[in-house]
Amino acid sequence: MNDSNALYERLKNSQKFIHPQPIVVAGRLVRVVGLTLEAVGVRAHVGSQCLVETAQGDLIAEVVGFAQEKTFLMPEQSLRGVMPGARVVPIGKKYSIPLSMDLLGRVIDGVGKPLDDKGPIKNSDDYHYDASPKNPLLRRAITEPLDVGVRAINSFLTIGQGQRMGLFAGSGVGKSVLLGMMTRGTNADVVVVGLVGERGREVKEFIEEILGEKGRERAVVVAAPADNSPLMRLKGCETAVQISEYFRDQGLNVLLLLDSITRYAQAQREIALAVGEPPATKGYPPSVFSKLPQLVERAGNGGDGQGSITAFYTVLTEGDDLQDPIADAARAILDGHIVLSRELADSGHYPAVDIEGSISRVMPMVTSTEHQQLVRQLRQMYALYQQNKDLIAIGAYTKGNDPRIDQAINLMPVINFFLQQSMTEVIPYDQSLAQLQEIIAAGQAQANAN
């Protein structure tokens, strides 16, 4: 057996490469521009993988584009050891994630490789993943609320099973803690957490301190920190969604927490600009705004006999600017948004949910008319106080001038207490509604007494 056939047999029998195809004539590396490799003589389709010869062994890279005779590749890892004229060999496969119930309790990287020390993950023998878009007419309607264990969200921003929500926040206002609270408090069957583009230190902290041992038992964590290549960060988000789709197809209700979709957009921007795509909106090329809905639309309810994916996507608002291009695009394709206020966080109000600036678009579909009326009354009272807050603070408002403002002033301490919750506390959906009714009853009793 000659060397070429021997190499093919090794690739064919290796678990690392599935769906092997005969090796074509190897190309060669002609240029390295930033994080992108340019090769000639390579015949491979976009999305397939190649082996690139380096001084430290073979490097896996994905084909991300081409121009005439040149093929553009993006490596999984760093470019250390890459040499001019290096051989580039197509291996004719796409990434394959091991999908099975063995994923529960595991921590994996952006392409499905274990990061913990619990050994390899078994792939399901009877499940065949279908990546084609789901027919929107086959999706079930959103009719059931999802308990997330957070009182402010359960009551004011009720989430439906299969809803896609945005979590808009700047840095340091408690979004990771809020994600951990929902992970521990939700009544979903499975939780999939994608930590993409964050500091590596935060990955272990989230798993051990925020998620905890109990929360980890029914969770899958996909980690692609900031020091990973743009390709790995991009794949990290897509892997988290693909795992969620697997559990949904098994008939389970999944809570997907993706932190953050902004890092996904930035990774796609880096790749697109590297292969020559022109920037459009504030440096973001058009492909970014095309990929965002493709990722988001994969969540939601399944068909008959399937479960649901309720998704929370964190959106980083640089400088607390809610008009950022990614934030603006995300608002248009999501089913609502939760805004975390820096002003509330600075005052020690956690979770720092700004109920005036937040909305759940499917709340009317999953809540009773009585619940909606209670929330509307408290929102109006809260907004009335905020509008007159400056006058009240400087003493320009005289008690008795407006009974509604008097009622808002008296109830604000109770409302603020209601909207706050410690990170270890879990408040079920039914308890949240009962406490909401107590506040309204107290306000009405006070108004009658006056």
Side-chain angles (χ1 to χ4, degrees):
M1 182 179 291
N2 57 35
D3 293 341
S4 176
N5 291 334
L7 174 61
Y8 172 68
E9 288 299 324
R10 288 201 303 274
L11 291 175
K12 180 180 179 181
N13 297 327
S14 172
Q15 293 182 353
K16 188 174 184 180
F17 306 116
I18 66 170
H19 309 306
Q21 296 178 359
I23 303 298
V24 299
V25 177
R28 61 186 180 87
L29 197 64
V30 296
R31 189 181 180 193
V32 176
V33 181
L35 298 176
T36 309
L37 306 177
E38 293 184 11
V40 295
V42 178
R43 187 175 179 83
H45 59 84
V46 173
S48 63
Q49 291 179 272
C50 296
L51 289 179
V52 180
E53 178 187 22
T54 75
Q56 300 177 351
D58 290 336
L59 175 71
I60 298 178
E62 179 178 321
V63 178
V64 294
F66 57 86
Q68 296 180 348
E69 299 299 322
K70 291 183 179 180
T71 301
F72 302 124
L73 303 104
M74 183 69 66
E76 281 188 5
Q77 306 298 337
S78 67
L79 296 176
R80 186 176 302 171
V82 174
M83 304 172 293
R87 294 176 74 248
V88 180
V89 182
I91 58 178
K93 74 173 280 290
K94 290 188 176 183
Y95 291 96
S96 177
I97 310 301
L99 298 173
S100 70
M101 299 303 290
D102 290 345
L103 282 165
L104 293 176
R106 301 300 301 270
V107 182
I108 60 177
D109 68 4
V111 292
K113 299 176 183 176
L115 292 177
D116 49 25
D117 56 355
K118 298 182 179 181
I121 301 172
K122 182 181 178 182
N123 197 14
S124 177
D125 296 328
D126 58 354
Y127 178 78
H128 301 284
Y129 176 71
D130 182 11
S132 59
K134 182 173 287 292
N135 187 333
L137 297 181
L138 298 180
R139 292 183 183 269
R140 301 191 316 277
I142 299 176
T143 57
E144 297 292 330
L146 179 75
D147 185 1
V148 295
V150 179
R151 183 166 49 198
I153 298 177
N154 280 341
S155 55
F156 279 84
L157 304 162
T158 308
I159 306 300
Q161 288 185 3
Q163 185 175 357
R164 290 84 55 91
M165 287 288 285
L167 189 59
F168 291 70
S171 57
V173 295
K175 65 180 183 304
S176 296
V177 175
L178 181 57
L179 292 180
M181 292 171 65
M182 290 190 288
T183 302
R184 292 190 301 269
T186 182
N187 62 354
D189 301 314
V190 176
V191 180
V192 179
V193 183
L195 302 176
V196 177
E198 299 298 324
R199 294 180 289 272
R201 171 185 61 82
E202 292 185 337
V203 175
K204 189 172 183 179
E205 287 182 0
F206 184 90
I207 294 171
E208 295 183 354
E209 299 179 14
I210 298 178
L211 187 59
E213 192 64 32
K214 186 176 180 180
R216 188 174 171 180
E217 292 176 356
R218 56 170 176 165
V220 183
V221 178
V222 181
D227 59 346
N228 282 194
S229 69
L231 180 64
M232 288 292 282
R233 283 180 269 138
L234 196 74
K235 294 297 180 184
C237 293
E238 296 173 354
T239 295
V241 175
Q242 185 174 335
I243 292 172
S244 301
E245 290 174 321
Y246 165 76
F247 287 115
R248 179 191 64 191
D249 293 347
Q250 306 307 306
L252 302 175
N253 293 322
V254 182
L255 177 63
L256 170 63
L257 306 174
L258 198 53
D259 185 16
S260 69
I261 199 173
T262 305
R263 305 300 187 198
Y264 176 82
Q266 291 173 347
Q268 174 60 24
R269 177 176 64 180
E270 291 180 45
I271 295 173
L273 293 178
V275 299
E277 186 178 353
T281 306
K282 292 189 176 180
Y284 288 97
S287 63
V288 171
F289 302 99
S290 174
K291 273 186 166 291
L292 283 177
Q294 292 175 12
L295 184 77
V296 169
E297 284 296 326
R298 291 168 65 180
N301 283 338
D304 294 336
Q306 295 182 331
S308 64
I309 302 176
T310 307
F312 282 83
Y313 304 93
T314 65
V315 182
L316 298 176
T317 52
E318 299 180 5
D320 297 327
D321 179 16
L322 294 178
Q323 306 307 317
D324 176 84
I326 301 303
D328 195 45
R331 264 198 309 271
I333 58 179
L334 294 173
D335 301 323
H337 54 272
I338 298 174
V339 178
L340 298 186
S341 165
R342 185 172 300 278
E343 181 181 355
L344 291 175
D346 291 342
S347 65
H349 184 292
Y350 288 102
V353 177
D354 179 7
I355 62 171
E356 285 189 291
S358 306
I359 188 172
S360 172
R361 294 178 182 172
V362 304
M363 183 176 175
M365 307 175 193
V366 297
T367 56
S368 64
T369 304
E370 180 187 4
H371 182 178
Q372 297 169 34
Q373 290 175 346
L374 293 176
V375 170
R376 191 178 302 114
Q377 291 178 39
L378 275 188
R379 277 183 178 271
Q380 292 172 350
M381 202 171 300
Y382 185 91
L384 184 63
Y385 180 85
Q386 296 298 326
Q387 293 167 6
N388 295 275
K389 182 171 62 174
D390 293 338
L391 294 176
I392 298 170
I394 63 176
Y397 173 77
T398 303
K399 186 177 180 180
N401 286 349
D402 189 331
R404 295 174 64 247
I405 297 179
D406 294 341
Q407 185 181 8
I409 294 173
N410 292 330
L411 281 183
M412 272 309 293
V414 181
I415 295 175
N416 283 327
F417 177 81
F418 177 83
L419 295 174
Q420 296 181 63
Q421 184 175 332
S422 68
M423 62 178 291
T424 58
E425 188 179 11
V426 175
I427 302 178
Y429 180 77
D430 293 339
Q431 184 179 343
S432 301
L433 296 190
Q435 293 176 352
L436 183 67
Q437 292 171 339
E438 291 176 6
I439 294 179
I440 293 296
Q444 290 175 347
Q446 190 178 69
N448 294 334
N450 293 334

